[in-house]
Amino acid sequence: MKINYESYLKYLPGIFLIFCSFVVLKVKAPINRVLKKIFLKDRKISKAERLILELSSILNYILSVFFLHFGLLQFNLSPIWKNAVNIGAYTLYIGFATLAVLKIIDIFIEFLSERTKKTVPVSEIPLVETYFSMISKIVKIFVVFVSSIILLDKLGFNVTSLITSLGVGSLAVGLAAQDTIKNFISGILLVTDRQFRIGDRVYIKDIDVDGYVYDIGLRTTRIITISGNNLIIVPNSKLTEGVIENALYPDMKFKDSVKIGVEYGSDIELVKKLLLEAITTTDGVLKEPPPSVFFIDFGDSALIFQAFYYVKKKDIAYGVKSKINEKINKLFAENGINIPFPCQTNYFPEGVKIKIDKE
């Protein structure tokens, strides 16, 4: 029996290309290790080097798909299977190309952000991060949209009629997704109006949330709470319509106070001196603006004083106040200043008759 080797030899190019596809995938990890070893000679990977690492992995996948695609086409496939292979390959090409563009955008936006940070005051750096974070998200959405149009065109859809249909149906979509659109517009307004930045500590009065801004998205804002370190997701429209207290912008300084009562008859000037001493000798209290003490009221059982001072930021306010209270308690004890218990004196103009029954 004579074997016809020529019928098998025609499949060798296809088998070889498929084999190359798997080889390319296998060498991805060693190539990345070699590149990292080269880049880490100065113990730091630059943005350009990080981009090369990201793109090298994507290029590996594209080459692998390329070899697999043309390897499969070397076989005598039916028109249906040939079309399916082409569609699958084009989808992967566009997907990996889109991923590469998104990586380039990430690096480029980060480069612009770092460059801009060097030209602005320190207090404006979080605002720069917020701006570029929003720009990055909008550009990425645009890139994904364009990629989707290109893919649909490759798949045989009439893109022109599709876009026209989307235009006609935009009113219905707008009505159905009005909350999403409202939140999207609110997200842009949050950034442009400078209400807060990523990293700011905010208190949202309407929903009683106090925490740090973790991220400002196109639809929602993520806040990490102070009390439980939990992630709260708030629709942007709630923030643009609500009342927000920002503890870090435009000025990080936080004004705090200590209110205390001393017994009647105490030396007022000595009390004010001791309160100032307790505050000015406590770490964390700012010298400018200087602390101040006021005798503000005659209480029911005490003379009421209130001292005002500034700390660097709200985060340390509780710790600083605790130290101040400890020093006040110590200084008052050393100088004979008493903090009275609440008491009440009753006067009877006509006196009080007491009747004692004798047994």
Side-chain angles (χ1 to χ4, degrees):
M1 182 177 177
K2 188 177 179 181
I3 301 174
N4 186 6
Y5 290 102
E6 291 183 1
S7 61
Y8 293 100
L9 287 175
K10 65 180 181 180
Y11 296 117
L12 283 180
I15 294 171
F16 176 74
L17 288 172
I18 293 173
F19 175 75
C20 289
S21 172
F22 288 102
V23 170
V24 169
L25 286 178
K26 293 294 288 183
V27 300
K28 181 176 76 71
I31 289 174
N32 278 347
R33 283 198 295 268
V34 171
L35 289 174
K36 284 181 181 178
K37 189 174 181 180
I38 295 171
F39 294 154
L40 285 172
K41 282 184 178 180
D42 56 356
R43 298 184 179 182
K44 186 180 179 181
I45 297 179
S46 67
K47 291 179 179 61
E49 292 168 343
R50 185 150 57 89
L51 180 59
I52 291 172
L53 285 172
E54 298 279 2
L55 294 181
S56 68
S57 297
I58 297 173
L59 182 61
N60 271 106
Y61 288 120
I62 292 175
L63 284 175
S64 178
V65 172
F66 176 81
F67 285 129
L68 181 62
H69 178 204
F70 284 95
L72 292 173
L73 291 179
Q74 302 306 310
F75 297 93
N76 292 326
L77 301 175
S78 65
I80 295 176
W81 280 104
K82 190 174 182 179
N83 186 52
V85 169
N86 284 329
I87 288 174
Y90 287 139
T91 302
L92 291 174
Y93 289 146
I94 293 171
F96 287 128
T98 302
L99 187 60
V101 173
L102 294 179
K103 294 293 182 184
I104 293 171
I105 290 171
D106 274 336
I107 300 295
F108 183 67
I109 293 291
E110 184 181 347
F111 168 75
L112 290 179
S113 176
E114 294 296 329
R115 191 172 180 179
T116 306
K117 286 178 190 176
K118 295 177 181 178
T119 63
V120 299
V122 177
S123 61
E124 296 293 329
I125 288 178
L127 189 62
V128 171
E129 293 175 348
T130 303
Y131 276 139
F132 280 102
S133 174
M134 182 66 72
I135 291 171
S136 175
K137 288 168 183 161
I138 293 173
V139 172
K140 285 180 179 179
I141 288 174
F142 177 74
V143 169
V144 172
F145 175 76
V146 172
S147 300
S148 301
I149 295 296
I150 294 172
L151 178 60
L152 290 173
D153 184 55
K154 285 290 183 183
L155 294 178
F157 289 93
N158 189 333
V159 177
T160 304
S161 62
L162 182 63
I163 293 175
T164 304
S165 301
L166 288 175
V168 172
S170 60
L171 179 60
V173 173
L175 291 173
Q178 56 182 327
D179 288 340
T180 301
I181 296 171
K182 183 179 180 182
N183 288 323
F184 175 80
I185 296 173
S186 297
I188 296 174
L189 291 176
L190 286 175
V191 176
T192 55
D193 287 350
R194 298 188 176 192
Q195 293 188 22
F196 50 77
R197 310 157 299 176
I198 293 174
D200 280 358
R201 179 172 176 176
V202 297
Y203 174 63
I204 307 167
K205 295 186 177 181
D206 295 351
I207 56 177
D208 193 28
V209 171
D210 186 11
Y212 294 96
V213 179
Y214 178 74
D215 183 48
I216 303 174
L218 294 175
R219 194 179 66 84
T220 60
T221 294
R222 291 168 173 81
I223 296 173
I224 298 178
T225 60
I226 297 294
S227 56
N229 199 34
N230 299 317
L231 184 66
I232 303 293
I233 300 174
V234 185
N236 288 333
S237 59
K238 292 282 187 184
L239 300 177
T240 53
E241 295 171 357
V243 178
I244 301 172
E245 178 184 312
N246 193 333
L248 298 180
Y249 185 76
D251 192 349
M252 291 178 64
K253 293 195 296 290
F254 178 71
K255 186 177 183 180
D256 206 352
S257 68
V258 173
K259 192 174 182 180
I260 193 168
V262 299
E263 67 179 0
Y264 277 90
S266 300
D267 187 334
I268 292 176
E269 292 303 319
L270 177 60
V271 172
K272 293 171 71 174
K273 177 184 175 183
L274 295 176
L275 288 174
L276 276 176
E277 182 181 342
I279 293 170
T280 54
T281 57
T282 300
D283 293 335
V285 175
L286 298 178
K287 294 182 179 179
E288 293 293 336
S292 54
V293 179
F294 300 95
F295 173 29
I296 62 170
D297 199 8
F298 293 94
D300 292 336
S301 56
L303 303 174
I304 309 300
F305 293 81
Q306 190 164 7
F308 296 91
Y309 59 91
Y310 285 86
V311 295
K312 187 176 181 181
K313 55 183 180 178
K314 191 175 182 179
D315 298 355
I316 63 173
Y318 281 112
V320 172
K321 179 176 279 191
S322 176
K323 293 177 182 178
I324 290 174
N325 286 336
E326 291 170 9
K327 287 192 176 183
I328 290 173
N329 187 58
K330 182 180 178 182
L331 288 172
F332 278 13
E334 290 174 352
N335 290 272
I337 303 295
N338 296 319
I339 301 173
F341 294 101
C343 63
Q344 185 175 1
T345 303
N346 295 321
Y347 293 94
F348 300 93
E350 299 179 0
V352 178
K353 295 180 180 180
I354 301 175
K355 183 178 180 181
I356 300 176
D357 294 330
K358 294 182 179 180
E359 295 182 359

